[in-house]
Amino acid sequence: MSLKELTIKQHQNAERQHFASTLMSGKISKESYLEYLVNQLQCYSILENHSEFKLPDERLKRAKKIQEDITELQNDLQKEEKELSEMITQSTKNYIKHVTKINNLEDYLAHIYVRYLGDLRGGQMISKKIPGKGKYYQFENNIELANSIYQVINDNMANEAKKVFEFATNLFIEMHKSDQKRKSPLL
C-alpha cells in the first residue's frame, strides 16, 4: 500500500468537515479566512523553523506568503495584532507542541507530505475561491516541488501522517464552531 492509501480514511475525514466545504464553496467570509490563515501561519512557521529538520526544497516555504495574505486581510478588516493572536485555536497550540517534540526525520517529513503536498494539489482549487490574492497557494514549479516531496516519503510515515490529518480535522472543527459563533453570536 502507498502512503496515500494508508492515510485515505483520515484524509477523507478531514475533507468531510464543514469548514473544508466552506473553504471550497467560494463563500468563506474574510473574517473566517483570516482566522484560518492565522492558524496556518503558526503551523507552517513551526515546520519551517524546526530546530533539527529542513524542507526538501526551500521553495516550499509558505509562512512568508501566508503572512502577506494575513496582512492584506488584516488591513482590509482593520484588525489589530492583538485580535489576531486571540484567533489561535487550541488544536493549533496542540499541533505546535507536537511538532516541537518531533525528533526523527520520517515523522517530520510526514507533516511535509500532508501539508505541503496538500497545498500543491488541493490548494490550487481553494486559491480560486478565497478572499484576497491567495499568495499562500502560489508556488513556482508545482511538479518539481511535488517531486521533491515524493522523493523523501515512504510508507513508514503513515502513523505520523494520520496524526497530521487528525490535527487538520480538529482545526476544521474549531474553525466551523468559530464560523457558527460569528454568524450567530448567541451560540
Side-chain angles (χ1 to χ4, degrees):
M1 281 186 136
S2 69
L3 186 54
K4 181 178 180 177
E5 292 168 324
L6 291 167
T7 59
I8 192 74
K9 181 180 171 189
Q10 290 76 16
H11 188 175
Q12 289 174 338
N13 188 40
E15 288 179 331
R16 285 189 195 112
Q17 299 306 311
H18 290 289
F19 188 77
S21 298
T22 300
L23 263 177
M24 293 299 293
S25 72
K27 298 177 183 176
I28 189 168
S29 71
K30 288 179 182 180
E31 292 84 0
S32 291
Y33 189 59
L34 176 60
E35 183 177 356
Y36 177 68
L37 288 173
V38 166
N39 283 280
Q40 292 297 77
L41 178 61
Q42 299 301 310
C43 296
Y44 283 81
S45 292
I46 198 71
L47 287 169
E48 293 172 10
N49 296 298
H50 197 279
S51 61
E52 292 185 53
F53 308 113
K54 302 290 176 227
L55 297 174
D57 189 312
E58 289 293 306
R59 295 175 298 167
L60 286 165
K61 287 188 173 182
R62 298 291 90 201
K64 182 179 176 190
K65 292 181 179 275
I66 295 169
Q67 182 59 62
E68 290 174 25
D69 287 343
I70 288 171
T71 300
E72 178 187 6
L73 291 174
Q74 181 182 5
N75 291 337
D76 192 32
L77 296 168
Q78 299 179 348
K79 297 280 186 185
E80 299 292 326
E81 284 299 319
K82 184 177 188 275
E83 292 174 271
L84 299 185
S85 65
E86 293 169 355
M87 293 178 175
I88 299 170
T89 67
Q90 187 59 51
S91 66
T92 296
K93 292 173 187 173
N94 294 343
Y95 181 78
I96 291 167
K97 189 182 293 185
H98 180 79
V99 171
T100 58
K101 292 178 182 175
I102 291 175
N103 60 9
N104 73 68
L105 183 59
E106 280 192 346
D107 284 353
Y108 175 79
L109 291 172
H111 290 257
I112 304 310
Y113 165 74
V114 173
R115 290 190 168 278
Y116 293 84
L117 205 53
D119 295 337
L120 284 161
R121 301 288 187 237
Q124 301 314 296
M125 293 180 282
I126 294 170
S127 70
K128 296 171 178 67
K129 303 185 183 250
I130 45 94
K133 294 181 180 139
K135 291 185 178 187
Y136 169 16
Y137 300 108
Q138 295 172 8
F139 291 88
E140 64 176 74
N141 201 334
N142 292 27
I143 294 169
E144 195 174 301
L145 292 174
N147 284 336
S148 77
I149 297 170
Y150 285 124
Q151 290 172 5
V152 297
I153 61 170
N154 63 60
D155 296 354
N156 296 331
M157 300 174 179
N159 286 337
E160 188 68 15
K162 288 176 184 180
K163 290 177 188 176
V164 182
F165 280 118
E166 288 169 13
F167 280 113
T169 299
N170 290 338
L171 175 61
F172 286 167
I173 290 167
E174 287 174 317
M175 290 300 307
H176 178 68
K177 287 178 184 175
S178 182
D179 219 16
Q180 294 304 104
K181 284 181 185 174
R182 208 175 274 110
K183 291 174 184 174
S184 286
L186 300 176
L187 292 178

